Amino acid sequence: MQESGRSTVAVIIPTRDRGGQATRTIRTVLAGKLVPDELLLIDQSRDDRTLAALGELLDRAPVRHLPSDTQGISAALNVGVAQTKATLIAITGDDCSATSDWLQSLVAELEANPKVGVMFGNIRPGGPDTESGFHPSYIREARSLARRPRDKHLIGGTSACMALRRDVWEVLGGFDEMLGVGAPFRAAEDADFSMRALQAGFEVLEIPGAEVVHHGFVRWSDRGELIERNWFGTGAALAKPLRQGHWAVLVPLLRLGVRWMLGRSRIARGLGGRPSRIRTAFAFMRGFGVGLTHPVDRTRGSFRGSVRG
């Protein structure tokens, strides 16, 4: 809970039609070395199974269950941030477990580095690869800091292990609700948010010390769909700055392309590790084409449009 002189902290967990799966996530956050002042479960589910599964957790002081008729992870995150006055926001997925020092590590870094507006950490697989599938992950061995848009290729984390300052969210006008799982452009709400933060003058930091464990299991037969979803969204997100005349994005685009061709993509390694260059390239280019042509709100820097449940 809040101590004198410490920033207020909220954890936001979006969920949709996962039943009681998010209860594990909530319990691990509450068992951490630092307990948040608020824990908000943004529930976009079409039934009451998640609410029913929460049980006694609803009586725990930090926990708030917020049903929402929005659709998509970006919309859920915007609902969550709007519903809390906390100065620091941490985000994880409803299929993740937080390690004991996850939140403490994120908060300590943000408090020690006032220029950092957005942070990412590691996502460890919840089990080994098997003949039937794998657990997507994202693992970095060393710290990495991006100070300007041309440094975006140095950062590749996801919203399953993310933190940000509330004032950054306010400056950017929130997450782009056309991006992310459940939205038309399907992914990359995190990449877009960090790019816009860099454009606004904030730094983005990635550290290996803050970790969650990802329990979501993907069958090999579904891996292609996951790759297409992720890279379509990434293409749309990285095309948007060019549409707005931010030519500095060409530098990380080129460097990401080289890394991808050389097989050095950390994101690709976390998606099962098997080569998928042709499928990735086509998905990225389709998304990039959509991002170059879709209307953009010049004030907020977000694609125009919204999705309701």
Side-chain angles (χ1 to χ4, degrees):
M1 289 303 186
Q2 184 177 4
E3 300 171 359
S4 177
R6 181 176 71 76
S7 305
T8 51
V9 181
V11 171
I12 297 176
I13 304 170
T15 190
R16 181 179 175 86
D17 296 337
R18 292 279 183 88
Q21 185 167 289
T23 59
R24 172 176 53 193
T25 311
I26 294 171
R27 292 182 190 281
T28 60
V29 172
L30 296 180
K33 295 177 181 177
L34 176 64
V35 178
D37 301 290
E38 289 184 279
L39 192 158
L40 293 81
L41 182 69
I42 312 304
D43 188 359
Q44 297 175 325
S45 300
R46 292 165 291 186
D47 57 42
D48 295 330
R49 288 184 300 148
T50 300
L51 176 60
L54 289 172
E56 54 86 17
L57 286 174
L58 289 173
D59 298 326
R60 301 283 292 271
V63 178
R64 294 173 61 191
H65 173 260
L66 298 176
S68 175
D69 64 357
T70 59
Q71 182 173 321
I73 189 171
S74 289
L77 294 176
N78 285 338
V79 168
V81 180
Q83 288 293 318
T84 178
K85 297 185 182 300
T87 54
L88 302 181
I89 312 293
I91 301 164
T92 190
D94 63 358
D95 56 357
C96 295
S97 293
T99 56
S100 61
D101 56 357
W102 168 71
L103 186 59
Q104 184 182 61
S105 298
L106 292 172
V107 170
E109 289 284 355
L110 287 173
E111 291 186 329
N113 299 284
K115 292 183 179 180
V116 172
V118 183
M119 283 188 62
F120 297 98
N122 279 357
I123 302 167
R124 294 279 176 185
D129 292 356
T130 68
E131 291 184 0
S132 58
F134 66 102
H135 297 80
S137 61
Y138 180 84
I139 300 173
R140 171 176 289 281
E141 295 77 21
R143 296 165 65 93
S144 185
L145 178 67
R147 293 188 172 91
R148 49 189 177 174
R150 64 183 299 165
D151 297 333
K152 176 63 183 71
H153 66 286
L154 300 174
I155 301 294
T158 81
S159 59
C161 185
M162 182 178 183
L164 56 105
R165 298 184 191 277
R166 181 188 177 84
D167 58 1
V168 176
W169 179 85
E170 292 173 344
V171 167
L172 300 185
F175 287 84
D176 189 329
E177 297 190 5
M178 293 294 285
L179 292 164
V181 176
F185 298 160
R186 307 165 63 191
E189 79 291 341
D190 29 38
D192 172 76
F193 193 87
S194 57
M195 174 60 83
R196 289 193 288 134
L198 291 168
Q199 291 171 343
F202 298 99
E203 295 180 353
V204 180
L205 175 65
E206 207 165 88
I207 63 171
E211 292 191 345
V212 299
V213 178
H214 183 217
H215 302 285
F217 185 75
V218 176
R219 296 187 176 276
W220 292 118
S221 58
D222 296 327
R223 179 174 180 265
E225 181 181 347
L226 176 63
I227 289 172
E228 289 190 11
R229 184 189 80 193
N230 286 355
W231 287 102
F232 181 93
T234 300
L238 291 179
K240 183 168 55 170
L242 289 180
R243 180 174 175 82
Q244 297 173 286
H246 299 297
W247 302 106
V249 75
L250 289 173
V251 175
L253 271 173
L254 177 61
R255 290 177 173 171
L256 286 170
V258 170
R259 184 182 300 168
W260 169 74
M261 287 188 293
L262 295 176
R264 297 175 181 172
S265 170
R266 187 174 290 105
I267 295 175
R269 288 200 301 269
L271 296 178
R274 297 180 180 178
S276 55
R277 295 179 181 177
I278 294 177
R279 196 163 198 167
T280 297
F282 276 107
F284 181 88
M285 293 308 298
R286 286 198 304 272
F288 195 80
V290 169
L292 283 178
T293 57
H294 194 88
V296 174
D297 183 331
R298 300 269 176 182
T299 302
R300 296 179 63 241
S302 296
F303 288 118
R304 294 188 182 275
S306 61
V307 181
R308 308 299 288 182

